[in-house]
Amino acid sequence: MTQTVQENLPGSSPPPAHGHHKPTTWKTYFTFCEDHKVIGIQYLVTSFIFYLIGGALAVGVRAELATPQVDVVSRELYNQLFTVHATVMIFLWIVPAGTGAFGNYLLPLMIGARDMAFPKLNAVAFWMIPPAGILLIGSFLVEAPASGWTSYPPLSLVSGQFGEMCWILSLLILGTSSILGAINFSTTILKMRRPGLQLTQMPLFCWAMLAASALMLISTPVLAGAMILLSFDLIVGTNFFNPAGGGEPVVYQHMFWFYSHPAVYIMILPVFGMISDILPVHARKPIFGYKAIAYSSLAISFLGLIVWAHHMFTSGTPPWLRMFFMVATMIIAVPTGIKVFSWVATIWGGKLRLNSAMLFSMGFVSMFVVGGLSGVMVASVPFDIHVHDTYFIVAHLHYVLFGGSVFGLYAGIYHWYPKMTGRMMSELWGKIHFVLTFIGFNLCFMPMHWLGLQGMPRRVAEYDPQFATVNLICSIGSFILAISTIPFVVNAVWCWVKGEKAPSNPWNAISLEWQTESPPIPTNWEGDPPLITDPYAYGLKPGRKAIGAIRGSDLWAAKP
Amino acid sequence: MNIPTTILTLLAGITITLLSLWLGQNNNLLPIAASDNAAGVDSLFNAMLAISVGLFFLVQGLIVIAAIKFRQQPGDESDGPPIHGNIPLEILWTAIPAVLVLGISVYSFEIYNQMGGLDPMDHSAHMKPAAVQVAMQTDAMAGGLLADGTSADPNRPNFAAGVGAKPGQMDPADVTVNVMGLQYAWIFTYPETGSVSGELHIPVGQDVELDITAQDVLHAFWVPQFRLKQDAIPGKTTQLRFVATQPGTYPIVCAELCGSYHGGMRTQVFVHTPEEYEQWKQTQIASGIETEAIAMAPPSDSQSDGEFLEPFAEAMAMDMSPEMMHQMHAGSSHS
Ligand code: HEM
Ligand SMILES: [Cu+2]
Ligand SMILES: [Cu+2]
């Protein structure tokens, strides 16, 4: 690799005059602030609150399923619980946290920009989220949606107009917010890089965000279309999807999954990027196969657009279509595998700092692999005919979304918390959090594979008593998971106020976001941001200063 | 005492391979296999499981070993080696998964074809005329009673793929049953005898075709022991064709969310021995003798709709358990 630290190129924009931004206080977070760092934290805290709400709903679901009979909640409430649970987790937690929170906070800092391309739009995108969330969760006061997060007609047309309409409106708002976000991310990455910084010199998180933004821009409008047509069927009485009037319910499924399969990659790609940036720092080794990881994100993004009908293998789709979507889906395992093996090779031979961020990252890789493997299984049409819409799918999706996305988001929080807040988190409580999460997660979701194979369908409030013991185990696991968030919340809140002050670069990381104060000043850097052409240049080279001994100031003082 | 790493790696590789091969064959993860499709699906599952277990242990093993062997030693603030990649290795771990998933795809395709998944489903033309008539009659009944009559057309314009006839199998199925899903029950109509029931009765060893539709919302017909599932879609008929291989009673589970009682939408399939099946058929014919006569008569007969439907309604009520009626009732008041 060439020289890591180069002199600043002439022509990089001068810092804006001081006093442009008011100093950030806690009150700033409740305003329409245009600073990407404030917006990122607004996204993160808001989505985490929704995560806690979604988690509480899940505990309700698992409490009901602890016994085979319907006893804890009514059947109607049960359906509302899992519907809102899934919608909150996907649209109000993982998507806004992965893209909105980390994307906004990190992208400008990683590419040496002072803010996002469209700061106002950015603030608008964030402020759409709280009302959408309140609308969705508030619907419980009257009647919550109850036809699943997939909301297939005709059921969604007959299971309660009010709740369904709240669901549709909330998704339309969130979808719009997501599109606005994606416009901002892609423009920022493509146009706002510090002069001299090549695309292939960016941290991998930026590549992942580019791939995710493309998916958001291409697929979200189709979801919006489906929502609008569905709402016409629901309130105006049109028959786009209603077979009673000659409509075609399967068309809704195509439209829904044309968005919602890419959506799973919108939820995982940013996390892939975060893991690629966290592992090298704490393993003290360069990322293994930079280009392969970067391009595999693009490959996943492209392939992710042509596999949606793998959710419809029993919907009466034509045989050739099933075969096409089967093969396309299988192929996604190849770029996914490249990433997994590259991560393993990255930590292999390193000097691993097994702190909370690292534990969650390694936990991410090992849990995501399980979901990836079961993903390939369910891509196989003959096998999927058996397990589609069963607990096997519930297991698969939680291994990728919880074991994957949520573990990765936790890793990201532990890793960038010092940068965001200027404080260190407690490692001891972080490790307790990890152990509890890891045990609770596997206890809750591993047995679900067996349940699905043996014959337990998903989305049921009551089930065959032969599944009672295993369901009880799952429920106990879910309660451990619920408890596991307590050490995290306490740790995060306490340390924000009282934690040990963080240095600007506590992990001795090379990438650009660490080469400024913690938390960064409103203009991100005093003077020009340094140009870092290899953000992964870890490792001792003869005649070089050990990276552990380099301070951020060394790096940017490297001017002639 | 120091064993060379190459030998250790080799031993680990052999252990993982043997373990995954063994687990691929000796897992009791699937319920008993009771249809002719099940064996293929199971061997496919076993193969995928073996590969998955192997890869699982490979990756987990590497992560755990890394965590132990490469963790930071106290006081060591230095970095690891500056390795940025290794092209041959990267090609290897791109190629191996590619070969594996292509292998699984080909294998899945083969099994899917054997199951009858690629069947173009134009068997209606081969139907015996009497059977067609009966089918039409029953569907007309369903049309009147349940507001849906699309499958009555012999050309089946709204017919969608499920799992059809095995390759090379040109004859119509030995037994055809019309399946109707509704909130929250399954109704089975037997064109052969004209009878209607809330549980499915089929003979072992014979080719059975289920023509599945739904009255209100989506449902999915699933018999885990047959490894078969098919959505029931209002306004459309979907098909499942199979041979049950093990006499016995198996659950029929609704696998598509259909409302608040979705979890309670369960019934059973009785796979009868030939004698039992004959016997069951006789009781059906005995109780519905007029049904048979009416159904066999040409549609232009001078009967009113009411007279025509009466026996069906009776048969349906007779065969439906009280809970089921209760559930249907409860369901409709909630939806
Ligand atoms: C190797 C990669 C993957 C493959 C091959 C794969 C394949 C599949 C297939 C075929 C299904 C449909 C199964 C069915 O409903 O019968 C499915 C469901 C699902 N997958 Fe994946 N998947 C992969 C990775 C992921 C990732 C990364 C995520 C999200 C982070 C994800 C999230 C989901 C979800 C949420 C569902 C269930 C949707 C629902 O029905 O509610 N998958 N996956
Ligand atoms: Cu998908
Ligand atoms: Cu159902």
Side-chain angles (χ1 to χ4, degrees):
Chain A
M1 268 282 141
T2 50
Q3 213 185 341
T4 304
V5 183
Q6 292 186 357
E7 61 175 294
N8 286 323
L9 289 185
S12 63
S13 61
H18 282 280
H20 174 72
H21 287 278
K22 290 187 223 75
T24 310
T25 66
W26 66 270
K27 283 189 194 134
T28 319
Y29 293 103
F30 295 89
T31 60
F32 189 87
C33 178
E34 294 171 23
D35 182 340
H36 72 99
K37 299 179 288 301
V38 173
I39 295 178
I41 291 174
Q42 284 174 327
Y43 264 109
L44 190 58
V45 174
T46 311
S47 58
F48 195 83
I49 292 170
F50 285 125
Y51 176 47
L52 293 179
I53 297 173
L57 298 173
V59 169
V61 167
R62 280 314 321 174
E64 169 53 50
L65 291 174
T67 59
Q69 301 79 27
V70 183
D71 37 23
V72 178
V73 294
S74 71
R75 293 179 170 83
E76 290 72 28
L77 181 59
Y78 178 82
N79 287 10
Q80 299 175 6
L81 285 177
F82 72 69
T83 300
V84 180
H85 156 73
T87 314
V88 166
M89 289 304 194
I90 291 172
F91 294 99
L92 287 162
W93 158 232
I94 298 182
V95 172
T99 63
F102 286 97
N104 276 309
Y105 197 91
L106 294 176
L107 281 180
L109 286 171
M110 282 179 164
I111 61 172
R114 304 220 180 264
D115 206 323
M116 299 291 282
F118 309 110
K120 272 217 175 60
L121 203 64
N122 206 11
V124 171
F126 167 72
W127 281 108
M128 295 174 90
I129 292 192
I134 291 167
L135 176 65
L136 181 69
I137 293 160
S139 68
F140 270 110
L141 296 176
V142 182
E143 173 204 41
S147 49
W149 84 279
T150 50
S151 202
Y152 282 3
L155 181 66
S156 51
L157 300 175
V158 297
S159 61
Q161 214 181 30
F162 178 85
E164 193 59 30
M165 229 22 238
C166 289
W167 184 84
I168 291 174
L169 283 176
S170 155
L171 249 64
L172 277 172
I173 302 172
L174 293 168
T176 312
S177 156
S178 165
I179 293 175
L180 298 183
I183 294 172
N184 232 331
F185 303 134
S186 45
T187 318
T188 306
I189 298 168
L190 295 175
K191 292 283 170 220
M192 302 282 289
R193 293 192 311 283
R194 178 206 187 290
L197 183 68
Q198 313 282 313
L199 282 174
T200 50
Q201 297 166 342
M202 301 187 299
L204 285 161
F205 177 73
C206 306
W207 278 96
M209 282 303 296
L210 198 58
S213 304
L215 288 178
M216 289 152 93
L217 289 174
I218 296 170
S219 63
T220 320
V222 179
L223 176 76
M227 293 298 103
I228 290 168
L229 296 184
L230 190 66
S231 64
F232 282 171
D233 276 12
L234 193 67
I235 34 184
V236 192
T238 52
N239 288 304
F240 293 110
F241 306 130
N242 192 350
E248 182 44 286
V250 180
V251 170
Y252 172 87
Q253 300 181 12
H254 279 291
M255 294 180 77
F256 180 81
W257 288 114
F258 185 84
Y259 166 75
S260 289
H261 180 80
V264 309
Y265 291 102
I266 296 172
M267 292 185 272
I268 200 76
L269 279 169
V271 174
F272 282 172
M274 284 157 58
I275 296 299
S276 307
D277 281 344
I278 297 172
L279 287 176
V281 177
H282 301 286
R284 310 309 303 165
K285 242 184 109 230
I287 189 78
F288 196 97
Y290 176 93
K291 286 211 167 127
I293 296 185
Y295 297 152
S296 65
S297 288
L298 300 186
I300 288 176
S301 177
F302 171 71
L303 289 169
L305 286 168
I306 52 165
V307 298
W308 74 90
H310 66 212
H311 297 272
M312 302 167 58
F313 286 153
T314 68
S315 302
T317 38
W320 65 266
L321 191 136
R322 300 188 202 188
M323 291 298 106
F324 171 82
F325 280 97
M326 170 172 88
V327 177
T329 306
M330 295 265 179
I331 294 173
I332 291 207
V334 177
T336 314
I338 292 177
K339 285 187 190 282
V340 169
F341 290 122
S342 303
W343 291 324
V344 173
T346 300
I347 59 173
W348 192 259
K351 306 236 164 130
L352 312 188
R353 276 64 168 160
L354 292 177
N355 50 29
S356 313
M358 189 63 168
L359 289 174
F360 270 104
S361 303
M362 290 164 75
F364 163 90
V365 180
S366 62
M367 295 298 96
F368 178 76
V369 163
V370 180
L373 292 170
S374 64
V376 172
M377 290 183 156
V378 294
S380 165
V381 174
F383 177 65
D384 187 61
I385 289 177
H386 177 53
V387 294
H388 171 65
D389 261 331
T390 68
Y391 261 83
F392 194 89
I393 301 300
V394 178
H396 161 70
L397 74 91
H398 284 91
Y399 268 88
V400 284
L401 282 179
F402 197 132
S405 304
V406 178
F407 271 57
L409 289 171
Y410 274 134
I413 295 175
Y414 281 107
H415 183 72
W416 281 292
Y417 185 94
K419 182 54 59 188
M420 293 179 174
T421 62
R423 309 264 180 177
M424 302 301 288
M425 282 181 94
S426 151
E427 274 303 323
L428 175 67
W429 285 106
K431 282 175 186 152
I432 294 174
H433 174 213
F434 173 74
V435 171
L436 282 176
T437 309
F438 193 84
I439 294 174
F441 170 73
N442 282 294
L443 201 60
C444 183
F445 295 108
M446 188 53 95
M448 288 183 185
H449 291 105
W450 182 85
L451 286 173
L453 290 170
Q454 289 287 319
M456 181 164 162
R458 66 192 279 205
R459 296 172 167 169
V460 292
E462 58 212 294
Y463 53 85
D464 193 312
Q466 75 175 109
F467 301 130
T469 320
V470 175
N471 268 293
L472 185 60
I473 295 174
C474 296
S475 290
I476 293 171
S478 77
F479 301 149
I480 297 178
L481 265 185
I483 293 169
S484 79
T485 45
I486 296 174
F488 172 77
V489 174
V490 172
N491 192 356
V493 173
W494 176 264
C495 292
W496 202 333
V497 186
K498 292 256 146 104
E500 182 197 329
K501 281 254 187 308
S504 64
N505 190 358
W507 316 123
N508 288 317
I510 294 179
S511 54
L512 192 48
E513 79 272 22
W514 296 103
Q515 316 313 329
T516 179
E517 263 126 84
S518 300
I521 55 170
T523 52
N524 291 350
W525 290 273
E526 305 268 9
D528 288 338
L531 176 64
I532 291 178
T533 54
D534 182 3
Y536 301 102
Y538 299 98
L540 274 177
K541 275 185 192 155
R544 274 256 197 117
K545 208 169 174 183
I547 196 74
I550 298 182
R551 297 282 127 206
S553 51
D554 292 337
L555 289 168
W556 34 347
K559 289 183 194 172
Chain B
M1 203 34 227
N2 249 350
I3 312 165
T5 352
T6 30
I7 300 207
L8 280 180
T9 317
L10 189 71
L11 283 179
I14 294 174
T15 319
I16 292 181
T17 314
L18 290 179
L19 182 70
S20 23
L21 289 178
W22 184 82
L23 263 177
Q25 292 311 311
N26 298 282
N27 62 80
N28 258 329
L29 292 173
L30 288 162
I32 69 153
S35 83
D36 61 341
N37 299 308
V41 175
D42 292 7
S43 49
L44 178 63
F45 170 73
N46 287 342
M48 293 194 296
L49 185 73
I51 295 172
S52 302
V53 168
L55 287 170
F56 172 82
F57 280 111
L58 176 71
V59 175
Q60 306 298 341
L62 290 173
I63 293 177
V64 170
I65 293 173
I68 296 168
K69 200 165 157 216
F70 300 119
R71 70 178 188 283
Q72 179 189 25
Q73 298 306 314
D76 182 359
E77 289 296 326
S78 66
D79 280 9
I83 302 168
H84 284 269
N86 180 328
I87 300 290
L89 195 59
E90 289 171 45
I91 292 176
L92 190 73
W93 69 46
T94 309
I96 292 182
V99 170
L100 284 178
V101 293
L102 284 181
I104 295 177
S105 299
V106 171
Y107 191 8
S108 304
F109 183 88
E110 191 46 42
I111 298 287
Y112 187 58
N113 185 25
Q114 280 171 25
M115 286 168 73
L118 298 176
D119 172 37
M121 308 164 307
D122 201 11
H123 300 276
S124 47
H126 304 280
M127 266 206 179
K128 300 166 206 117
V132 175
Q133 272 190 4
V134 177
M136 284 171 66
Q137 292 279 1
T138 336
D139 286 330
M141 176 279 296
L145 196 66
L146 305 167
D148 173 60
T150 42
S151 57
D153 186 340
N155 294 323
R156 308 198 194 191
N158 266 324
F159 207 76
V163 171
K166 309 280 177 290
Q169 165 79 272
M170 292 311 285
D171 299 327
D174 301 325
V175 178
T176 301
V177 183
N178 294 324
V179 181
M180 164 75 78
L182 70 165
Q183 285 172 322
Y184 297 96
W186 294 103
I187 294 179
F188 302 96
T189 319
Y190 305 82
E192 208 183 330
T193 58
S195 56
V196 178
S197 67
E199 282 159 337
L200 178 59
H201 295 263
I202 54 170
V204 70
Q206 291 195 39
D207 211 356
V208 175
E209 178 179 324
L210 304 180
D211 289 341
I212 305 171
T213 187
Q215 185 197 340
D216 35 36
V217 298
L218 300 176
H219 303 272
F221 176 95
W222 181 32
V223 179
Q225 285 74 6
F226 293 173
R227 314 283 190 270
L228 283 176
K229 181 182 293 116
Q230 178 56 51
D231 288 8
I233 306 169
K236 246 187 213 186
T237 305
T238 51
Q239 180 200 44
L240 282 182
R241 194 163 158 174
F242 59 93
V243 177
T245 51
Q246 300 276 334
T249 311
Y250 309 108
I252 295 174
V253 182
C254 176
E256 180 68 59
L257 178 63
C258 58
S260 46
Y261 280 79
H262 167 53
M265 185 167 161
R266 307 167 63 90
T267 180
Q268 288 176 319
V269 46
F270 295 94
V271 178
H272 295 294
T273 58
E275 307 82 64
E276 272 174 10
Y277 184 66
E278 237 1 87
Q279 224 176 349
W280 174 79
K281 228 160 74 173
Q282 291 314 316
T283 59
Q284 293 300 300
I285 291 171
S287 66
I289 193 87
E290 302 121 278
T291 315
E292 173 98 322
I294 296 160
M296 282 305 189
S300 57
D301 218 285
S302 60
Q303 267 173 319
S304 76
D305 270 11
E307 281 171 281
F308 175 76
L309 284 174
E310 202 179 351
F312 290 93
E314 233 171 65
M316 226 171 102
M318 262 175 19
D319 220 86
M320 282 217 296
S321 60
E323 311 96 276
M324 195 182 285
M325 287 307 248
H326 170 76
Q327 282 191 0
M328 286 170 68
H329 178 75
S332 53
S333 67
H334 280 291
S335 58

